[in-house]
């Protein structure tokens, strides 16, 4: 079945870095755009980043632009989110989500999330 | 990009209907027919309930329906059931490979 499994979360100090990974299975990753979405404790969902099916187009929420980088390796069925210069306000559950289409439409499958805590 | 505006909470009794609104601008909700809705239980990942304003994925009960008028999209749940109690989020394309969520609505089934 279609499945997304996130990993790489943890506790980091402000200014530090983390790299999240999303392992995809049960579908052809190279045919779909992919997103990262986060949810701070007790807060709503926030769209974070998108990468097109072939990796040629990437975009980010203003809150993370210049600090986070989304990438993908279709040969390894993985999508990653490199997070640098982390801030306390980046503390959240980070979800990887599959887009229904190749170039971005809506998210039809979500992972269970991985928790990032930025704490001094 | 500012979050879309949703009521913080709505409530209804079993069997009743409730509608959750999602207000944006002509640059997001009003500009594209790319509004979707997600249901989320505490501690769980969101689940797609409606896409492209009015379409329902297979497996989602037909009690859930979506619509849009101008810059406001709506999710209507008819025949409320206890298991519908959850948080609901709208989501819209904003253009240039950018998307935005609504602030979320907590539905209570009394």
């Amino acid at each position: 079945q279609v499945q997304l499994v996130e990993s790489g979360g943890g506790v980091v100090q402000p200014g530090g870095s983390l790299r999240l990974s999303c392992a995809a299975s049960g579908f052809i990753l190279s045919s779909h755009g992919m997103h990262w979405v986060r949810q701070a404790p007790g807060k709503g969902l926030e769209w974070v980043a998108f990468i097109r099916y072939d990796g040629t187009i990437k975009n980010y929420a203003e809150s993370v632009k210049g600090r986070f980088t989304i990438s993908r390796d279709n040969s390894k069925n993985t999508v990653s989110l490199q997070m640098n210069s982390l801030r306390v306000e980046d503390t959240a559950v980070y979800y990887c989500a599959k887009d229904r289409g190749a170039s971005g439409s809506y998210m039809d499958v979500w992972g269970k999330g991985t928790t990032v805590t930025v704490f001094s | 990009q500012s979050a879309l505006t949703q009521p913080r909470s709505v409530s209804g009794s079993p069997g009743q209907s409730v509608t959750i609104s999602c207000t944006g601008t002509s640059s997001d909700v009003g500009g594209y027919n790319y509004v979707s809705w997600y249901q989320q239980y505490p501690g769980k990942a969101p689940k797609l309930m409606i896409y492209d304003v009015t379409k329902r994925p297979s497996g989602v009960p037909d009690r859930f329906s979506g619509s849009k008028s101008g810059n406001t999209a709506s999710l209507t749940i008819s025949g409320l059931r206890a298991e519908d109690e959850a948080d609901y989020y709208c989501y819209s394309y904003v253009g240039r490979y950018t998307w935005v969520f609504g602030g979320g609505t907590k539905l209570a089934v009394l």
Side-chain angles (χ1 to χ4, degrees), chain B residues 31-96:
Chain B
Y32 305 92
N33 285 324
Y34 296 141
V35 176
S36 49
W37 289 88
Y38 296 87
Q39 176 192 64
Q40 187 183 35
Y41 294 113
K44 300 296 186 181
K47 174 188 174 184
L48 178 68
M49 303 302 285
I50 296 287
Y51 67 95
D52 293 351
V53 179
T54 62
K55 299 175 183 176
R56 204 169 42 249
S58 61
V60 172
D62 59 7
R63 302 184 295 105
F64 291 82
S65 62
S67 62
K68 190 181 84 166
S69 177
N71 297 335
T72 298
S74 298
L75 173 71
T76 297
I77 309 170
S78 58
L80 266 180
R81 303 178 66 159
E83 60 259 38
D84 298 333
E85 186 163 294
D87 294 327
Y88 292 85
Y89 294 89
C90 60
Y91 174 74
S92 176
Y93 184 58
V94 182
R96 298 185 180 182

Side-chain angles (χ1 to χ4, degrees), chain A residues 39 59 103 105-107 111, chain B residues 38 40 45 91 96-99:
Chain A
Q39 187 169 34
N59 201 22
S103 295
S105 54
Y106 59 90
M107 294 172 277
Chain B
Y38 296 87
Q40 187 183 35
Y91 174 74
R96 298 185 180 182
Y97 299 98
T98 305
W99 288 264

Side-chain angles (χ1 to χ4, degrees), chain A:
Chain A
Q1 74 280 20
V2 176
Q3 192 172 13
L4 298 169
V5 179
E6 303 93 337
S7 60
V11 180
V12 62
Q13 291 187 330
S17 298
L18 274 178
R19 186 177 181 85
L20 306 184
S21 291
C22 172
S25 60
F27 67 100
I28 302 173
L29 181 64
S30 60
S31 295
H32 295 271
M34 295 294 291
H35 301 261
W36 285 95
V37 175
R38 68 183 181 184
Q39 187 169 34
K43 303 296 184 182
L45 300 172
E46 179 186 15
W47 174 79
V48 172
F50 167 77
I51 185 167
R52 211 171 75 156
Y53 71 103
D54 56 1
T56 58
I57 291 177
K58 306 174 185 181
N59 201 22
Y60 305 89
E62 287 298 324
S63 57
V64 307
K65 199 168 285 187
R67 301 187 297 123
F68 289 12
T69 302
I70 190 171
S71 61
R72 65 190 297 156
D73 186 339
N74 289 337
S75 66
K76 295 182 178 179
N77 288 324
T78 59
V79 179
S80 299
L81 185 69
Q82 177 66 42
M83 305 186 296
N84 298 331
S85 303
L86 282 163
R87 305 168 179 167
V88 170
E89 54 265 34
D90 294 321
T91 294
V93 175
Y94 284 74
Y95 295 101
C96 171
K98 166 184 165 289
D99 196 278
R100 174 62 179 86
S103 295
S105 54
Y106 59 90
M107 294 172 277
D108 61 352
V109 178
W110 297 63
K112 294 184 176 181
T114 187
T115 301
V116 171
T117 303
V118 185
F119 175 64
S120 59

